[in-house]
Each structure stands twice: as C-alpha cells, then as structure tokens.
Amino acid sequence: MDLQIDRAHGARIYDYLLGGKDHFAVDRAAAEASLRLWPALRAHMLENRSFMHRVVRHLAERGVRQFLDIGTGIPTSPNLHEVVQAVIPDARIVYVDNDPTVLAHARARMTSTPEGRTAYVCADAREPDALLSAPQLRATLDLDEPVALTLIGMLHFLTEDDLAHEVVRRLLDALAPGSHLAASIGTSEFAPIPLAEVQRVYEAYGESVRFRTKAEAELFFAGLEVLEPGLVQIHKWRPEPGAAPVPDVDIAMYGAVGRKP
C-alpha cells in the first residue's frame, strides 16, 4: 500500500487540524505553515465538519435513507453514518476516498448499526463511472431510490472546472429523482490575501487547490431545487440555535443543499 508520505494529502491535513492522529510529517508541516499564514484555518475546518453534521441530519430528518459520501477523509467520530443512523437506524452509507490512509482505518471505525449498512470504496472522484460501478457501492445502495450525494470539502481539490462539473453531473445523472447534492466549496472571497498564501503552501507540499467565487460555486447546483437558505458561507447554513457567532473572514467555504427534481 503506497501511503504517499512524500506529499501532503488533504484528508490527512484535515485530520491533523481536527485533532486526529492519522497524518505524517509532511501533512503537519503543510498545516502548520498554513496556520501561520491564516490562523483561522483550524476554526474553518471545524465549521466544515459541523456543516456536514447539520446537513446530513437535516436530510435524514427529511427521510433520505441512502448517502454517498465522496472525499470522506480519515474517520473522526461522529462520522456521517453515526449522525444519520441516529435518526434512521437502517440508513445505508457508502464512503469514498482515494487516500490509502483512509482505507486503513475505514473498516474499523465505520461500523454500521445492525439495521443499516456501511461500505467503503477506495476510488478517485475523477473517475465517476468506475466509482459508481464499484461492487461495494452496488451492494449497499439502490440507485433507483433517492440518495444524498455529499461532497464536503472536496471540490476544491478538483482544480479543473470542466472536470469538476463533469464529475458532479455524472454522479447526479446516476441518481434517482428526489436525490440531493450537499457540498461545501472552497472560496477565498472573504480573506483573499492570506488564502492565496495558503494555496501556495498546499501546492508547495504537493496538494493543489482551487478556490471559487460564489457565482462559480452556484454552478454546481444548476438544475437543482436549492433548499433554504441557499448557497451561503457554511456557518450560516441552518446554524444550531445558540451557536456562537463566527466572523465571516474566518470561513472559506460556501455550502448548499440541492434536490434533484
């Protein structure tokens, strides 16, 4: 198994910033260099995790019983299936990532309820047809029924716009009407100067990122029925009652949920 420890990986940087233990020196170096340039990075990552929790809980409460999570990252409890299955115990979840480190931990930490199912697919989002045909996915999800496609903090690693839109289109095309897309999408619009430096740090350590404007982020939801409050900074998407205020300048992602008609 090639753990690619000679270059940073977004999943392992994320794990380090969330306080996890599954990362390498190159990931820690990239994270610490980024924090020096933009000290809000850790708070921003924690907000992204909170956004995921709120989104999938909301979708489960709407009756969505199947989830396809691409760009899963290293498991950090509560994981997506734990949030969803607390609402719908027999929900089915497929996790997808292309980092072998994630694979090494996924089976041990992503255990389903007895009523539901979880599965893990080691695949690259850049190859959606191969991902969708994976036996583990087909054995777990019924694509003739609605599925929630979650792309949380992943699309900014698809730096080519044509490819990113083709991936999202191909995935949505494979899903039944009534399915949902939930995504958080990196942006530098609220802190352009430090985030330009962070982008350079990531690239210097071997991980490319692409920040998008709000107008560019909205294109991923074209043709979908976008749920309220629309595309907003992630800390503004249905925040928990009484949540502490977060400065806009500390958040570098837009987020939204759209329903496929």
Side-chain angles (χ1 to χ4, degrees):
M1 180 184 294
D2 180 9
L3 295 178
Q4 300 175 333
I5 62 173
D6 58 332
R7 58 180 291 273
H9 191 286
R12 299 194 303 258
I13 295 172
Y14 190 40
D15 177 72
Y16 175 74
L17 290 167
L18 292 179
K21 299 177 181 178
D22 301 303
H23 39 72
F24 299 110
V26 66
D27 309 302
R28 296 189 290 273
E32 289 296 338
S34 299
L35 281 167
R36 287 192 291 272
L37 295 166
W38 191 47
L41 180 61
R42 179 170 280 115
H44 155 81
M45 293 295 196
L46 289 168
E47 283 296 327
N48 185 55
R49 190 74 178 171
S50 177
F51 169 76
M52 183 274 283
H53 291 158
R54 298 194 307 276
V55 161
V56 300
R57 184 183 306 114
H58 179 73
L59 289 173
E61 290 169 349
R62 287 172 64 96
V64 179
R65 311 177 75 84
Q66 302 188 107
F67 290 76
L68 175 56
D69 183 56
I70 300 179
T72 293
I74 293 164
T76 303
S77 188
N79 293 297
L80 186 152
H81 74 280
E82 295 171 292
V83 176
V84 168
Q85 290 179 339
V87 180
I88 302 178
D90 64 349
R92 296 184 167 214
I93 296 93
V94 171
Y95 292 107
V96 180
D97 206 291
N98 69 340
D99 180 7
T101 307
V102 179
L103 175 62
H105 298 283
R107 294 189 181 97
R109 300 192 200 170
M110 293 179 173
T111 304
S112 173
T113 59
E115 305 95 323
R117 283 191 71 178
T118 61
Y120 180 80
V121 177
C122 189
D124 195 321
R126 295 171 181 83
E127 300 175 355
D129 291 336
L131 185 162
L132 289 164
S133 63
Q136 305 97 310
L137 185 151
R138 292 290 178 168
T140 307
L141 302 181
D142 179 357
L143 298 188
D144 292 327
E145 296 294 329
V147 174
L149 169 63
T150 54
L151 305 174
I152 306 299
M154 190 277 284
L155 287 171
H156 54 271
F157 294 117
L158 298 180
T159 58
E160 300 173 20
D161 285 345
D162 289 347
L163 174 62
H165 286 284
E166 174 63 18
V167 165
V168 174
R169 185 199 63 77
R170 178 68 190 90
L171 292 168
L172 285 173
D173 283 352
L175 304 182
S179 294
H180 292 75
L181 167 66
S184 58
I185 300 165
T187 184
S188 62
E189 290 193 310
F190 299 90
I193 294 174
L195 283 166
E197 295 298 324
V198 169
Q199 185 176 26
R200 282 191 278 273
V201 166
Y202 268 59
E203 290 172 352
Y205 282 92
E207 183 68 281
S208 297
V209 295
R210 160 88 160 88
F211 294 122
R212 292 180 168 91
T213 65
K214 186 173 186 180
E216 289 170 332
E218 286 173 336
L219 293 175
F220 289 105
F221 296 90
L224 303 180
E225 300 166 352
V226 180
L227 278 56
E228 292 294 334
L231 182 80
V232 294
Q233 279 181 285
I234 52 176
H235 64 301
K236 297 180 178 180
W237 197 92
R238 301 175 184 256
E240 299 289 353
V246 178
D248 289 357
V249 71
D250 288 352
I251 302 299
M253 281 189 195
Y254 287 113
V257 177
R259 180 182 181 276
K260 180 178 178 179

